[in-house]
């Protein structure tokens, strides 16, 4: 199993910034794509961004130009730098990891989520 632990959420004013981190537990598996999703109250979970092992990224339209994802493969950690935050960015943010468990099996693991609230 792989555990993902997010940190860095909190309360920030509109226009402010936050940096989220997500660290995967030490394991012998290959972690492939990692990503960030978010879910606001009463809404479906939305993909924010994902990043491959080589660093290729795919951002959701609502965060392009404001959010930046990065990862440190040696530390099994993915980061999300969020700038120019808006009230509509308020949500629980989850990270996930696509993990190659063995030659034939891939599993998606999820973190527990971290709350981001953008409000004055």
């Amino acid at each position: 199993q792989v555990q993902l632990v997010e940190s860095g959420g909190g309360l920030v004013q509109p226009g402010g910034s936050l940096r989220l981190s997500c660290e995967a537990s030490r394991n012998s598996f290959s972690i492939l794509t990692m990503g960030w999703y978010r879910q606001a109250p009463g809404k479906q979970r939305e993909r924010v961004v994902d990043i491959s092992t080589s660093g290729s990224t795919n951002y959701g339209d609502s965060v392009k130009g404001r959010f930046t994802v990065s990862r440190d493969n040696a530390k099994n950690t993915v980061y999300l730098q969020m700038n120019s935050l808006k009230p509509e960015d308020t949500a629980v943010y989850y990270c996930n990891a696509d993990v190659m468990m063995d030659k034939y099996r891939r599993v998606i693991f999820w973190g527990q989520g971290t709350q981001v609230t953008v409000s004055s």
Side-chain angles (χ1 to χ4, degrees):
Q1 296 293 314
V2 176
Q3 292 184 327
L4 302 176
V5 179
E6 300 106 333
S7 60
L11 172 65
V12 64
Q13 292 186 341
S17 298
L18 279 176
R19 186 181 191 230
L20 306 182
S21 300
C22 172
E23 181 176 3
S25 58
R26 290 173 62 90
N27 62 85
S28 60
F29 309 117
S30 295
I31 297 179
L32 306 175
T33 299
M34 298 185 77
W36 289 96
Y37 284 69
R38 66 186 182 185
Q39 188 166 20
K43 294 188 177 181
Q44 290 189 332
R45 190 169 293 191
E46 170 192 24
R47 185 182 62 84
V48 176
V49 61
D50 52 54
I51 181 168
S52 70
T53 52
S54 63
S56 296
T57 58
N58 187 14
Y59 289 92
D61 289 340
S62 61
V63 305
K64 284 180 181 177
R66 300 187 298 122
F67 291 10
T68 303
V69 67
S70 60
R71 68 187 283 176
D72 184 332
N73 292 327
K75 296 181 179 180
N76 284 338
T77 300
V78 62
Y79 306 95
L80 183 65
Q81 178 66 44
M82 305 185 294
N83 298 328
S84 302
L85 283 161
K86 305 174 181 180
E88 50 264 44
D89 294 317
T90 296
V92 178
Y93 283 70
Y94 300 89
C95 82
N96 75 355
D98 182 0
V99 180
M100 183 72 75
M101 306 299 287
D102 56 42
K103 184 178 180 180
Y104 304 102
R105 189 166 58 110
R106 288 166 63 172
V107 177
I108 304 291
F109 291 92
W110 290 87
Q112 81 288 351
T114 185
Q115 176 70 46
V116 171
T117 302
V118 184
S119 175
S120 55

